[in-house]
Amino acid sequence: MIWEQLAGNLTQGLILGGVYGMATMGLSLIFGVLRVVNVGHGPFIMVGAFITLWIFTTLKLSPVIAIPVAFIMGMALGFIFFYSAMRRLIKAPELATLLATFSIGVLLEETAKLIFGSDFQGYNWVVGKIILPVTVLPMSKLYALIGSVVIAIFLYVWFNKTRAGTAVRSVVEDSEGARVCGINVGWVYAFSFAIGIGLTVASGVLLTMFIPVGINPYMGGGYTLKAFVIAVLGGLTSPYGAFFGGLIFGLIENGSYTLFALMPGVEPFALTRFLSFFILLLILLIKPTGLLGGK
């Protein structure tokens, strides 16, 4: 019985891990290009969640429609925040960028509270389910995984097969060398920041397709913490590593929850968070570049 429950939770964890990975790719992209740690990562996920809620409840449209809408709106926010704040902080001390991104996150949270209120909200998107031997899998979760994989593949192709992607990779390798070769490094910074924010906001859509409840202005804090663990797990500068790091994290989170639930007198969800940060500490001590990071 326990093994059946564990297998079911691992299946759910693998799907959720794919969404976690996609939600972390924007964080890794921004750090890889700009060397900026976006501690306001979670509030951008919250923005995507509210876009989904608004499109589903007000416009009566499928959450799938919200994915490109959230990506475009996220890119717009990325350009606005880059040119209004982040552009002046390139090459600035880490504390300055940490405070700037933290402030942006607070601004987003309070703006969302002003518009949508502070109550927990959600929606119910019924599109069928698949009954597996070990678990029941709602189709909405499967769509979230498919969306994550498609976006990850699209990002990979864009990075490796387009001139814009080549320009971004050259700036990551050597920004001064790229500038000498005629690449507009300032534009690459702005474009990369916008794409990173666009991916993060779009991931908010996918996360609500997996967990369509608990949408509120302050929901992003937990996702920020998980994203940092996943980013370090996959190698902080690698968006692809972040995706596979998300898969590993999802398996660990859901698998450990099943095992912790067997222990009397403990709160299994709290222990999964403890385990997450314990893993983060071990990785930083043993392999600071991440399990999937480059040399």
Side-chain angles (χ1 to χ4, degrees):
M1 184 65 181
I2 179 61
W3 296 112
E4 182 178 333
Q5 184 181 357
L6 180 61
N9 276 4
L10 288 176
T11 303
Q12 300 276 351
L14 185 66
I15 296 171
L16 180 59
V19 181
Y20 279 162
M22 191 267 162
T24 309
M25 292 177 77
L27 181 74
S28 295
L29 176 63
I30 290 172
F31 182 80
V33 178
L34 285 81
R35 299 294 168 181
V36 168
V37 178
N38 180 19
V39 294
H41 181 77
F44 284 107
I45 292 177
M46 174 272 298
V47 171
F50 272 110
I51 289 174
T52 315
L53 182 67
W54 181 74
I55 285 180
F56 184 80
T57 58
T58 304
L59 301 182
K60 310 299 181 184
L61 296 175
S62 166
V64 176
I65 303 297
I67 297 174
V69 175
F71 181 74
I72 293 170
M73 292 185 68
M75 284 195 68
L77 285 174
F79 278 120
I80 290 171
F81 285 125
F82 180 84
Y83 283 111
S84 61
M86 301 310 299
R87 183 176 61 172
R88 298 175 176 81
L89 299 176
I90 300 297
K91 310 295 183 186
E94 288 82 0
L95 182 59
T97 56
L98 287 174
L99 288 174
T101 53
F102 176 77
S103 301
I104 290 172
V106 172
L107 175 64
L108 291 174
E109 289 175 339
E110 296 308 314
T111 303
K113 179 182 176 182
L114 188 65
I115 298 173
F116 299 102
S118 58
D119 293 336
F120 286 81
Q121 302 181 59
Y123 64 90
N124 184 26
W125 185 40
V126 180
V127 285
K129 58 187 177 184
I130 298 176
I131 301 176
L132 301 175
V134 294
T135 189
V136 176
L137 186 63
M139 289 300 295
S140 58
K141 294 183 179 181
L142 189 60
Y143 291 154
L145 176 64
I146 293 172
S148 299
V149 172
V150 168
I151 292 172
I153 293 174
F154 180 80
L155 186 65
Y156 178 83
V157 172
W158 180 78
F159 254 118
N160 293 280
K161 302 296 182 183
T162 67
R163 290 175 62 87
T166 302
V168 172
R169 285 190 288 117
S170 65
V171 172
V172 172
E173 291 291 331
D174 184 353
S175 60
E176 291 305 319
R179 195 188 307 274
V180 170
C181 292
I183 293 175
N184 187 338
V185 175
W187 169 250
V188 170
Y189 284 153
F191 195 55
S192 300
F193 190 80
I195 287 182
I197 298 300
L199 289 171
T200 305
V201 175
S203 72
V205 180
L206 300 171
L207 281 167
T208 63
M209 290 167 67
F210 194 94
I211 309 172
V213 295
I215 300 173
N216 73 90
Y218 307 109
M219 62 179 283
Y223 290 119
T224 299
L225 297 177
K226 290 178 181 179
F228 281 131
V229 176
I230 293 168
V232 173
L233 186 65
L236 194 56
T237 61
S238 170
Y240 321 124
F243 184 79
F244 290 107
L247 293 174
I248 297 171
F249 183 85
L251 289 171
I252 293 174
E253 184 182 64
N254 275 37
S256 62
Y257 181 90
T258 306
L259 300 178
F260 289 143
L262 297 175
M263 300 179 182
V266 301
E267 207 289 301
F269 183 71
L271 280 182
T272 60
R273 288 192 173 183
F274 164 78
L275 179 64
S276 301
F277 285 97
F278 182 69
I279 291 172
L280 175 64
L281 179 63
L282 284 181
I283 294 171
L284 289 175
L285 288 174
I286 299 172
K287 197 172 187 302
T289 57
L291 297 179
L292 305 174
K295 296 179 179 179

